[in-house]
Amino acid sequence: MAAGMGRRGVQWNLPGFTADGLKQFACAAMLIQNIGIAVVENGLIHLDQYTQEELSAAMETDSQLMTLAGVGSVMQIIGGLAVPIFAFLLVEGFLYTSDYRNYLLRLLGFAVISEIPYDLAISGKWMDWSSQNALVTMAVCLMMLYFLRMLGKRAEDGSGRGSRIAVVLLQLLLVLCAILWVTMLRGEFGLCMVLLTAVFYLLYDKKGLKLVLGALISLLYVSGPLAFYGIWCYTGERKERLPKYAYYVFYPLHLLVLGIVVMFLS
């Protein structure tokens, strides 16, 4: 439990969140978002059949369509809660992993496995190059973290203000390169995920500053800043109740189920 001091000296406690609890919350938010996209927007509304003007005109005469569109929008807003948490947990995993290579290969492997289910759920197609799944973005971020750490060690070994400034500039350039990669790959959560991951890592020991900057960045998603309540209350406990690969399997599995639902609704 995280303790705080209220008015008149009254002590109050905030609930503590473990890494496992944060993962479950983020997965639930992501699931809600993807149901909104796959089932509501693609399966029920058939959003790809409308232009923005046509959809607005159709909603004026169809209250059911307006309700569905509203529900889909709210579900996507809820999904924004997952982005800061996944970025935060990615940094935690990077800092505490005993085998970076295995961590990266695991992410890349499940990114490949997830791509067809992702395309089915999000676009209703077996292959769609207009966007890539979130694990692709996270893999790019994980590689960025590796090189940021290398540059950080070089700064520690170097001497003089000029050397430290050069390292900071190289770190900024590296973050820009990661942004370029996720933009070219069109990875889900791309820009926001890269910026949040960089802030969480580079300002790791400055809790207040990193949370303020992170909350500002997460405004790219309306609900994003609300996720920082859970991050603030993070206990640091990393013990997982579920098997190691459960969360990795959940990602392509839930997308595959949603993709099949979309196929039947279409």
Side-chain angles (χ1 to χ4, degrees):
M1 301 286 285
M5 189 67 68
R7 295 168 59 184
R8 298 182 181 178
V10 177
Q11 182 128 3
W12 45 273
N13 293 318
L14 295 173
F17 293 93
T18 65
D20 201 51
L22 287 177
K23 286 179 184 178
Q24 291 175 21
F25 178 82
C27 285
M30 179 182 62
L31 175 61
I32 291 171
Q33 178 191 42
N34 288 336
I35 291 175
I37 296 172
V39 177
V40 178
E41 294 186 352
N42 295 342
L44 298 176
I45 298 178
H46 305 294
L47 201 59
D48 60 328
Q49 297 179 8
Y50 296 93
T51 64
Q52 186 61 50
E53 293 75 15
E54 289 172 344
L55 181 62
S56 298
M59 287 193 297
E60 291 178 1
T61 59
D62 189 337
S63 60
Q64 184 178 9
L65 180 62
M66 180 179 291
T67 300
L68 286 173
V71 169
S73 297
V74 170
M75 295 177 83
Q76 288 202 58
I77 289 173
I78 292 173
L81 292 166
V83 184
I85 294 176
F86 281 135
F88 176 77
L89 292 174
L90 183 68
V91 173
E92 289 291 306
F94 171 73
L95 291 173
Y96 290 100
T97 185
S98 58
D99 190 342
Y100 169 81
R101 180 175 176 272
N102 186 46
Y103 190 12
L104 177 60
L105 290 176
R106 188 162 64 242
L107 262 182
L108 289 171
F110 277 94
V112 172
I113 292 171
S114 302
E115 190 55 32
I116 290 179
Y118 174 81
D119 290 340
L120 277 175
I122 302 304
S123 66
K125 302 175 183 177
W126 287 95
M127 291 294 290
D128 182 10
W129 298 106
S130 64
S131 66
Q132 316 305 323
N133 68 79
L135 294 184
V136 173
T137 302
M138 294 178 73
V140 172
C141 290
L142 190 58
M143 287 186 277
M144 175 188 71
L145 290 174
Y146 176 81
F147 290 109
L148 285 174
R149 181 167 63 183
M150 285 182 58
L151 289 172
K153 290 180 178 179
R154 182 172 297 181
E156 292 174 1
D157 296 338
S159 59
R161 181 180 176 85
S163 176
R164 289 194 294 271
I165 292 175
V167 167
V168 170
L169 291 175
L170 286 173
Q171 287 177 329
L172 291 175
L173 180 61
L174 184 57
V175 174
L176 289 175
C177 287
I179 292 172
L180 179 62
W181 271 105
V182 296
T183 301
M184 290 191 302
L185 293 171
R186 299 179 180 180
E188 190 178 24
F189 309 140
L191 174 62
C192 192
M193 181 72 74
V194 171
L195 292 177
L196 285 172
T197 302
V199 165
F200 287 144
Y201 179 74
L202 294 173
L203 301 176
Y204 187 79
D205 295 323
K206 300 178 180 179
K207 185 175 181 180
L209 180 58
K210 77 177 180 183
L211 292 185
V212 170
L213 287 177
L216 290 174
I217 293 168
S218 67
L219 285 170
L220 289 167
Y221 295 89
V222 176
S223 60
L226 298 177
F228 283 81
Y229 174 76
I231 294 173
W232 177 266
C233 297
Y234 177 57
T235 63
E237 183 182 342
R238 298 187 53 78
K239 184 178 180 180
E240 295 184 352
R241 298 178 182 179
L242 296 176
K244 184 176 182 179
Y245 286 89
Y247 297 104
Y248 289 98
V249 172
F250 168 78
Y251 187 65
L253 183 60
H254 91 277
L255 289 171
L256 180 61
V257 171
L258 292 177
I260 292 172
V261 171
V262 171
M263 291 175 65
F264 276 106
L265 290 175
S266 297

